[in-house]
Amino acid sequence: MKKGRNIDIIRNVKIIEWLKCELLTSIAKLFELLAKGIENTKDDVLDIISNIILVSYLLGKRLGLSYETINLKVENKIKLGMIEEHKIEKWYGDLSELNENLSTRRGE
């Protein structure tokens, strides 16, 4: 195996490990923030949740998944939850609202 190829593999493994740590850190920060119950934390929660989503996409990419594949899987999970009347859909209609939001963003 070529030396350059080894460096790429090592670099990819390191970035995957870093992304896993970043994901866990963000989740821990979210749990800590929610446990404190501090008021006026919407901006902090928004920042953490958007980071979790971003890191999840990047980790998926490093693990060989395309962004399109991830998006399709999320969309399928939303539709399945709507069909199966998941509790969050049944009680609040959140999956329908998310599906509509994603469809609007795609221009459908």
Side-chain angles (χ1 to χ4, degrees):
M1 193 178 291
K2 295 180 182 177
K3 185 177 179 181
R5 178 83 173 130
N6 286 339
I7 292 172
D8 286 345
I9 292 170
I10 292 169
R11 186 172 29 184
N12 199 45
V13 168
K14 283 183 179 182
I15 199 72
I16 288 169
E17 292 305 312
W18 178 82
L19 287 166
K20 287 169 26 182
C21 290
E22 185 68 23
L23 183 58
L24 287 173
T25 300
S26 294
I27 292 170
K29 286 178 184 177
L30 179 62
F31 277 44
E32 181 181 19
L33 188 65
L34 295 175
K36 288 180 181 178
I38 300 170
E39 292 183 22
N40 301 319
T41 59
K42 281 189 177 183
D43 286 339
D44 293 332
V45 170
L46 178 61
D47 185 56
I48 293 168
I49 288 176
S50 61
N51 195 56
I52 291 169
I53 294 167
L54 174 62
V55 170
S56 296
Y57 270 96
L58 296 174
L59 181 58
K61 174 76 171 172
R62 289 293 99 216
L63 294 173
L65 304 171
S66 70
Y67 300 134
E68 295 82 17
T69 301
I70 296 168
N71 287 338
L72 184 59
K73 189 63 152 181
V74 169
E75 291 169 11
N76 288 340
K77 285 186 171 287
I78 291 169
K79 291 174 184 172
L80 183 62
M82 291 167 54
I83 291 168
E84 293 179 346
E85 296 183 339
H86 189 281
K87 285 182 184 178
I88 199 154
E89 174 63 18
K90 192 173 182 180
W91 294 350
Y92 302 103
D94 287 355
L95 294 175
S96 294
E97 185 179 349
L98 179 56
N99 188 54
E100 185 176 322
N101 178 274
L102 293 174
S103 294
T104 301
R105 293 197 63 188
R106 284 190 311 268
E108 292 179 1

